[in-house]
């Protein structure tokens, strides 16, 4: 049996020889020149997003929305069947009251995200990574796996395949399957080497976007646990991003992964095959995918933030008009009922037929309703476009 060994080939490349799984190389196999322009755009967008007005209402609403969206996305990537709306409802339940395994996975993820958030850096430091420990990784796995009725997946414990046990990652749809290391001696040795590589000064000084994505990539290649590797790997990526100030985008990017799931899975295998062919840019496409995802995600976050700001200004103006007597209580309630239940734009006639509106105008004539609509439109709280009523903040 060959001896385990580690050799630094240069400041950013660590080659590892295992007992049974052959050699592994942790390296920056990317084309920095091709990535730099997009990385710069991501960091510029994140700086601008971090400067967005920090009104408590905006922060609270965005946190709740991103939490539900992130957990829905990472759970769906792993085959979860809850919708985003169902996910949001389950996350509001006291975890102590949850018994079903599928629901427990969601509340576990919420606890894991909250644990990562405690390490959040307020200022964006794009090339100042912080070290992570093996204990961090084991904690994340424990958080996503705790109290879940899964066989052969003890929290914090690495795999140790027996001779008859096989672990396959991937499938033919996404570029084929891969057999990760299977004996615990190799897995433990690779995990320690991976941590050493991630915490090396030359790697800590790299773009945090590159370091986070490659941490995720190499972790999935080792695939150290029986289950929960995907969820844990994305949380590791999130932790590295949070440590350097990538506020909200650190987990919101999971929505991009879920929406592009075939490319996401396919790139793991594609990059692995490029490595086998000794391609000097073997991991470039996976890193580029993540960086593109971050840019798209942060732009979406800007839109969400601006939308919330406009909505809060709208509500302030609306409340002011009621308090000054410019809108009657009934007219105010008419607007409130429409925007609260807004799932599609309606014509005045369609809105009038809604049960809640009928109740509001009980003992009032239809003519009174249309006079109220006319006044509301004239004051600019609702706009008419192609016959539909549209709130003016949209």
């Amino acid at each position: 049996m060959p001896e385990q060994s580690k050799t630094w080939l240069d400041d950013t490349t660590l080659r590892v020889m295992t007992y049974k799984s052959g050699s592994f190389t942790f390296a920056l196999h990317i084309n920095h020149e091709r990535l730099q322009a997009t990385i710069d755009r991501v960091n510029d967008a994140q700086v601008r997003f971090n400067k967005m007005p920090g009104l408590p209402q905006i922060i609270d609403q965005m946190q709740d929305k991103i939490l539900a969206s992130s957990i829905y996305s990472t759970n769906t990537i792993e085959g979860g069947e809850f919708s985003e709306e169902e996910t949001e409802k389950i996350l509001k339940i006291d975890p102590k009251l949850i018994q079903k395994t599928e629901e427990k996975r969601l509340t576990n993820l919420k606890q894991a995200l909250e644990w990562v958030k405690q390490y959040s850096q307020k200022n964006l430091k794009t090339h100042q990574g912080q070290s992570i420990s093996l204990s961090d990784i084991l904690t994340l796995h424990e958080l996503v796996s705790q109290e879940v009725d899964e066989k052969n997946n003890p929290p914090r414990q690495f795999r140790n395949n027996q001779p008859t046990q096989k672990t396959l990652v991937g499938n033919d749809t996404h570029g084929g399957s891969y057999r990760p290391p299977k004996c615990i001696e190799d897995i433990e040795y690779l995990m320690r080497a991976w941590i050493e590589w991630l915490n090396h000064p030359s790697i800590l000084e790299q773009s945090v976007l590159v370091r986070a994505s490659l941490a995720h990539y190499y972790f999935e290649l080792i695939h150290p646990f029986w289950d929960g590797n995907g969820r844990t790997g994305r949380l590791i990526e999130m932790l590295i991003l949070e440590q350097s100030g990538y506020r909200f985008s650190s987990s919101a990017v999971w929505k991009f992964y879920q929406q592009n799931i075939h490319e996401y899975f396919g790139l793991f295998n594609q990059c692995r095959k490029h490595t086998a062919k000794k391609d000097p840019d073997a991991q470039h496409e996976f890193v580029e995918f993540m960086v593109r995802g971050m840019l798209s995600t942060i732009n979406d976050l800007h839109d969400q933030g601006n939308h919330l700001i406009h909505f809060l200004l709208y509500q302030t103006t609306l409340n002011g008009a009621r308090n000054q007597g410019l809108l009657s209580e009934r007219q105010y309630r008419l607007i409130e009922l429409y925007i609260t239940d807004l799932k599609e734009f309606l014509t005045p006639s369609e809105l009038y037929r809604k049960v809640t509106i009928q109740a509001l105008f009980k003992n009032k004539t239809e003519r009174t309703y249309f006079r109220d609509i006319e006044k509301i439109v004239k004051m600019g709280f609702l706009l008419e476009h192609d016959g539909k009523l549209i709130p003016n903040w949209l």
Side-chain angles (χ1 to χ4, degrees):
M1 185 178 290
E3 290 288 332
Q4 290 179 325
S5 62
K6 293 181 294 184
T7 306
W8 280 94
L9 304 183
D10 56 46
D11 284 347
T12 62
T13 307
L14 176 61
R15 179 172 293 169
V16 180
M17 178 58 70
T18 65
Y19 283 138
K20 296 181 179 180
S21 307
S23 66
F24 280 69
T25 301
F26 300 102
L28 298 174
H29 286 155
I30 58 173
N31 186 317
H32 288 85
E33 267 187 42
R34 282 168 51 196
L35 275 176
Q36 195 57 52
T38 310
I39 287 174
D40 290 343
R41 290 176 65 193
V42 170
N43 291 333
D44 178 65
Q46 186 72 54
V47 167
R48 287 185 289 107
F49 177 74
N50 286 356
K51 290 180 179 179
M52 185 172 284
L55 299 176
Q57 303 99 311
I58 295 175
I59 299 299
D60 289 346
Q61 288 188 48
M62 288 199 74
Q63 282 180 336
D64 290 344
K65 182 177 177 60
I66 292 166
L67 177 71
S69 175
S70 299
I71 290 175
Y72 160 75
S73 298
T74 194
N75 192 54
T76 301
I77 289 171
E78 300 305 320
E81 297 179 356
F82 291 116
S83 68
E84 189 165 345
E85 186 176 349
E86 290 169 335
T87 298
E88 190 171 1
K89 288 179 181 177
I90 292 167
L91 293 175
K92 292 177 181 177
I93 301 172
D94 184 342
K96 296 176 183 177
L97 302 176
I98 289 179
Q99 301 295 325
K100 295 180 180 178
T101 294
E102 289 301 319
E103 294 179 353
K104 187 63 180 173
R105 285 195 180 97
L106 300 181
T107 56
N108 281 352
L109 282 164
K110 181 180 179 180
Q111 289 184 56
L113 265 76
E114 289 171 348
W115 184 86
V116 170
K117 285 288 185 181
Q118 70 179 307
Y119 297 101
S120 180
Q121 169 63 245
K122 292 184 179 180
N123 299 316
L124 186 65
K125 298 183 177 181
T126 62
H127 287 78
Q128 295 182 35
Q130 297 182 38
S131 62
I132 62 174
S133 69
L134 191 56
S135 176
D136 294 332
I137 311 308
L138 297 176
T139 297
L140 288 172
H141 183 256
E142 179 178 25
L143 288 169
V144 301
S145 306
Q146 62 186 338
E147 299 178 14
V148 173
D149 185 18
E150 293 175 336
K151 295 181 180 179
N152 300 320
N153 186 39
R156 302 179 71 93
Q157 291 186 31
F158 296 139
R159 276 186 303 108
N160 188 24
N161 296 51
Q162 299 306 305
T164 58
Q165 290 178 299
K166 293 181 180 178
T167 298
L168 292 178
V169 182
N171 53 51
D172 290 340
T173 305
H174 299 115
S177 57
Y178 157 66
R179 292 187 180 182
K182 59 183 183 179
C183 75
I184 194 166
E185 293 86 358
D186 284 353
I187 291 171
E188 288 178 339
Y189 194 70
L190 283 167
M191 288 296 291
R192 287 196 296 269
W194 171 73
I195 290 287
E196 180 182 335
W197 180 76
L198 278 174
N199 293 338
H200 190 279
S202 295
I203 302 300
L204 289 171
E205 292 171 0
Q206 299 295 318
S207 163
V208 175
L209 298 170
V210 171
R211 180 171 175 257
S213 57
L214 286 178
H216 181 22
Y217 171 80
Y218 283 123
F219 174 83
E220 303 301 344
L221 205 62
I222 300 169
H223 215 74
F225 302 108
W226 286 107
D227 198 11
N229 292 286
R231 286 165 287 167
T232 304
R234 287 183 287 277
L235 284 162
I236 292 166
E237 183 183 86
M238 177 190 177
L239 173 61
I240 292 171
L241 292 170
E242 282 283 333
Q243 287 176 332
S244 294
Y246 289 85
R247 182 173 168 228
F248 290 137
S249 57
S250 60
S251 67
V253 72
W254 299 345
K255 182 176 181 179
F256 179 84
Y257 295 165
Q258 188 261 326
Q259 291 175 333
N260 298 276
I261 191 167
H262 293 296
E263 186 177 4
Y264 173 65
F265 281 144
L267 283 171
F268 280 108
N269 264 315
Q270 188 172 313
C271 293
R272 178 177 58 81
K273 291 175 180 178
H274 286 323
T275 299
K277 295 177 181 177
K278 298 184 178 180
D279 183 341
D281 298 333
Q283 284 83 50
H284 180 89
E285 291 181 34
F286 182 80
V287 176
E288 184 179 50
F289 172 78
M290 179 269 196
V291 174
R292 281 192 289 113
M294 287 290 284
L295 182 59
S296 174
T297 297
I298 298 168
N299 286 337
D300 285 344
L301 292 175
H302 274 287
D303 291 343
Q304 290 180 40
N306 288 331
H307 177 88
L308 283 171
I309 290 170
H310 292 155
F311 179 64
L312 289 172
L313 290 172
Y314 177 86
Q315 284 188 315
T316 301
T317 306
L318 187 62
N319 289 329
R322 179 181 63 171
N323 295 336
Q324 295 170 35
L326 301 176
L327 284 174
S328 70
E329 187 64 27
R330 186 185 64 246
Q331 291 162 348
Y332 174 86
R333 285 285 294 143
L334 172 57
I335 299 170
E336 188 178 50
L337 285 169
Y338 183 43
I339 64 177
T340 299
D341 194 41
L342 187 62
K343 294 182 176 62
E344 59 178 339
F345 299 136
L346 302 174
T347 66
S349 297
E350 290 169 339
L351 178 59
Y352 185 64
R353 292 194 289 271
K354 292 290 184 179
V355 174
T356 52
I357 303 302
Q358 287 288 309
L360 180 64
F361 282 86
K362 187 179 180 180
N363 301 325
K364 301 292 181 184
T365 66
E366 185 175 341
R367 185 177 179 186
T368 300
Y369 163 78
F370 279 99
R371 270 205 299 253
D372 282 353
I373 289 291
E374 183 180 357
K375 181 178 179 180
I376 289 167
V377 170
K378 187 174 182 180
M379 292 185 70
F381 289 108
L382 294 176
L383 309 175
E384 278 197 279
H385 181 71
D386 292 336
K388 306 279 188 179
L389 297 170
I390 301 174
N392 76 359
W393 83 85
L394 296 175

